[in-house]
Amino acid sequence: MATHPRNGNLVVVVGCGRLGSLLASRLSRRGLEVVVVDSDERAFGGLSPEFSGFRVLGDATELAVLRRARVEEASTVIAATRDDSTNMMVAQVAKQVVGVPQAFARVFDPSREAIYHRLEIDTVCPTNLAANVIVERVASALAVTPEATP
Ligand code: AMP
């Protein structure tokens, strides 16, 4: 299916909410070519004024929308909506159907992470990240080793 040459600099960010707009703005600032996709046009208002990438309006669970976002050329797709199932579908299509080398999914339910990993999708779980940081800080404030906490 991938008839387009890969662009090592091209990142597609799906979902331009709190996380996606921050990612798109920061990756763009670091010199990457960023395409951001959202089904709600108002979401693009969260991008930084210097954002130099493209915006695609549409439902990213539709392959045609992902194609408009140049997913076939992308090296990385980041599924950053607030819905685990949407993120799973987008990352899976990107990785397994289109052959994008790297796909990340935001996943709220930690119990789903194992499934993603079996599909070779990288995950970022805000619940686990927050728990790790809080456990570390509590352990350090109370002078116990992190391993000693349950
Ligand atoms: P937040 O939870 O604030 O990071 O926002 C998530 C963003 O994902 C919102 O701007 C939604 O409009 C967007 N979103 C949710 N589902 C889809 C979808 N299927 N395709 C594109 N964007 C979506």
Side-chain angles (χ1 to χ4, degrees), residues 3-130:
T3 52
H4 301 262
R6 291 270 163 220
N7 175 343
N9 252 355
L10 181 65
V11 178
V12 176
V13 176
V14 170
C16 190
R18 288 160 297 181
L19 178 63
S21 60
L22 189 61
L23 286 172
S25 298
R26 288 182 63 175
L27 292 172
S28 165
R29 207 178 302 138
R30 292 187 70 162
L32 290 168
E33 209 177 323
V34 179
V35 181
V36 65
V37 184
D38 204 291
S39 49
D40 181 351
E41 187 151 29
R42 290 168 300 182
F44 299 128
L47 292 164
S48 70
E50 312 88 56
F51 175 72
S52 60
F54 286 97
R55 299 137 207 236
V56 170
L57 182 64
D59 181 345
T61 60
E62 294 172 14
L63 185 54
V65 171
L66 288 177
R67 283 196 170 130
R68 274 202 278 129
R70 296 168 57 205
V71 73
E72 287 153 316
E73 292 165 61
S75 294
T76 302
V77 168
I78 305 168
T81 78
R82 73 194 82 184
D83 181 64
D84 280 1
S85 302
T86 299
N87 293 340
M88 160 86 113
M89 189 186 300
V90 168
Q92 199 178 354
V93 167
K95 183 92 191 183
Q96 318 281 337
V97 179
V98 183
V100 176
Q102 193 174 37
F104 288 98
R106 177 192 203 184
V107 51
F108 289 95
D109 179 356
S111 70
R112 291 187 181 215
E113 278 197 298
I115 308 167
Y116 287 71
H117 294 160
R118 277 203 293 280
L119 298 168
E120 297 181 359
I121 294 164
D122 282 324
T123 55
V124 177
C125 177
T127 316
N128 280 341
L129 286 181

